[in-house]
Amino acid sequence: MAIRHFAGAVDRRARPAASALAAAQAVAGQDQQGLTRQELNRLAPCRPSGARGTIFATHQEGINRLRRHGMLEAVSRGVYVYKLSRNHDLLERIAKTMRRGEYSYVSLESALSEYGAISQIPVDRLTVMTTGRKGEYRTPYGTIEFTHTKRSVPQLLDRMRDVGRPLRLATPQAAWADLKRVGRNTHLVDEASLPHAN
């Protein structure tokens, strides 16, 4: 009886450490994407009302603790990344997280720069067309500019291609058409480098 009680006490004391380890591992496992606050709420264990022995009393406490221990970094309101990430496409991952559930693709100046048609775009700026809301967001990894599009999903799918990154990339013709449609920086484009651009 005494041994069983002692074992139970050890288990109760070990549970918070195990929960902390599980939360840290869950966050580290998300290195390939950004996380919203809601996703973190599912990853970080939280103490049910009246329960004892779990690691976090509230979800916000869990997020704050993971930030203090260098596991998480807030990059925009309600969006976090694994701070030790060595991911090269982190800005695109952040953009994808910010507009999760929407169709988004790299276009405008960023895409045209990749195709060599524009040379004057800052490296730390990403221009994205999205079916979600427009907006400009400064993050520790660069600025993301979302421009809303009203095009239908079938039209959008024809205008972009999968390049093995978090966001799809506009075709050269689509990026040029998007830039003309929003009416800016068209004078920076070398049209000769865009075959079939109109």
Side-chain angles (χ1 to χ4, degrees):
M1 184 78 160
I3 294 173
R4 196 175 303 145
H5 177 71
F6 179 71
V10 170
D11 288 346
R12 280 197 298 273
R13 282 196 299 268
R15 215 172 287 139
S19 295
L21 180 60
Q25 288 171 338
V27 168
Q30 301 300 313
D31 187 22
Q32 298 304 309
Q33 65 183 27
L35 296 162
T36 64
R37 187 182 311 259
Q38 292 78 16
E39 291 162 335
L40 281 169
N41 289 347
R42 287 193 298 269
L43 288 174
C46 180
R47 182 180 304 148
S49 180
R52 294 175 45 182
T54 54
I55 186 66
F56 304 128
T58 66
H59 290 298
Q60 189 59 51
E61 178 188 327
I63 290 170
N64 291 344
R65 186 175 295 182
L66 290 169
R67 288 178 69 187
R68 278 195 308 274
H69 290 285
M71 296 292 294
L72 282 181
E73 180 177 19
V75 293
S76 185
R77 184 176 179 177
V79 178
Y80 303 85
V81 294
Y82 177 55
K83 194 167 183 178
L84 303 177
S85 178
R86 295 190 178 125
N87 206 300
H88 299 294
D89 301 319
L90 193 53
L91 196 57
E92 281 191 30
R93 292 185 189 284
I94 294 167
K96 185 175 182 179
T97 302
M98 293 175 81
R99 293 295 180 269
R100 192 159 286 157
E102 303 289 349
Y103 284 90
S104 300
Y105 61 98
V106 177
S107 187
L108 305 166
E109 293 92 346
S110 292
L112 291 168
S113 176
E114 285 195 43
Y115 291 122
I118 291 182
S119 60
Q120 299 178 12
I121 183 168
V123 177
D124 63 346
R125 185 173 191 85
L126 182 66
T127 55
V128 178
M129 295 296 291
T130 181
T131 56
R133 68 185 186 280
K134 68 177 184 175
E136 185 173 296
Y137 301 87
R138 288 186 176 86
T139 77
Y141 301 96
T143 301
I144 302 168
E145 180 187 354
F146 292 104
T147 301
H148 177 75
T149 180
K150 294 182 180 178
R151 292 185 191 274
S152 68
V153 172
Q155 286 176 318
L156 291 176
L157 293 176
D158 287 340
R159 302 170 60 75
M160 59 178 108
R161 58 188 184 160
D162 187 350
V163 290
R165 298 191 325 226
L167 292 177
R168 292 175 178 251
L169 181 66
T171 64
Q173 298 78 24
W176 175 231
D178 287 341
L179 193 68
K180 289 191 294 185
R181 192 171 192 176
V182 299
R184 67 171 194 224
N185 293 333
T186 54
H187 64 284
L188 298 176
V189 177
D190 176 10
E191 292 183 56
S193 67
L194 297 172
H196 312 297
N198 49 31

